[in-house]
Amino acid sequence: MIYNLCKFAKNSFVNELFLCLYFCSIKESYIRDLAKEYKYKIDKSFIDFNGHLAEFGYYYYGVDGLRKLCEDKGCTPKLYEELKIGPITFQTTVSFKKEVREDTMIIVKPRITSISEDCKKWSSQSDIMNATRELCASIVSNGAFMD
């Protein structure tokens, strides 16, 4: 449905992407409303030798939360396939604040923090908190939609 609405735009990739992002609620005016929380129980496969969540585990949960947020807002793998585009990450920074252990619950709060005027470039942030809502890590990424 979203893809068909996009076909009403001029026949260029940028215009199709702009409309599709608009209908997926990822335009600048909606960014502040694009915050949702996802809960996870830390899996043993992400634990390091010291019994803490390993670096790649923080990244996994942060990115998975962002993926779920996008899918919840309509940007599904099927949509990306129809448009023959996908999100590509160019830069990511992870700031670690507090340790997380196996079997603990975490809350991932992903959000889109900015999107360029032409809707090609984007920035995101995923905050990872423990059950008492203390910040454990923050993942900031910059990327773009590419074909």
Side-chain angles (χ1 to χ4, degrees), residues 42-57:
I42 301 299
D43 185 90
K44 182 179 182 171
S45 61
F46 295 111
I47 298 300
D48 64 18
F49 296 115
N50 295 325
H52 303 113
L53 183 60
E55 182 177 340
F56 67 92

Side-chain angles (χ1 to χ4, degrees), residues 7 18 34-35 45 52 81 94 98-99 108 115 118 134:
K7 283 297 185 184
F18 174 84
L34 277 180
S45 61
H52 303 113
E81 186 178 322
V94 183
K98 197 165 185 63
E99 295 174 341
V108 178
I115 194 159
D118 64 2
E134 295 173 288

Side-chain angles (χ1 to χ4, degrees), residues 13 29 32 35 57-58 62 65 69 86-87 102 107 117 121 128-129 137 144:
F13 170 76
S29 61
R32 287 181 296 282
Y58 285 96
L69 174 68
E102 182 180 350
I107 302 164
E117 192 70 28
K121 295 180 182 175
I128 298 173
M129 300 169 286

Side-chain angles (χ1 to χ4, degrees), residues 17-34:
L17 180 59
F18 174 84
L19 283 176
C20 287
L21 289 172
Y22 179 80
F23 288 112
C24 292
S25 299
I26 301 184
K27 271 306 293 163
E28 192 73 44
S29 61
Y30 295 100
I31 287 175
R32 287 181 296 282
D33 297 330
L34 277 180

Side-chain angles (χ1 to χ4, degrees), residues 67-92:
R67 178 193 59 79
K68 286 181 178 181
L69 174 68
C70 291
E71 285 188 12
D72 288 350
K73 297 299 180 178
C75 292
T76 63
K78 183 179 179 183
L79 175 64
Y80 291 134
E81 186 178 322
E82 288 175 358
L83 294 173
K84 297 183 181 1
I85 62 163
I88 306 295
T89 303
F90 297 123
Q91 178 185 26
T92 296

Side-chain angles (χ1 to χ4, degrees), residues 126-140:
S126 292
D127 291 333
I128 298 173
M129 300 169 286
N130 61 20
T132 59
R133 304 190 75 76
E134 295 173 288
L135 183 63
C136 298
S138 186
I139 303 169
V140 177

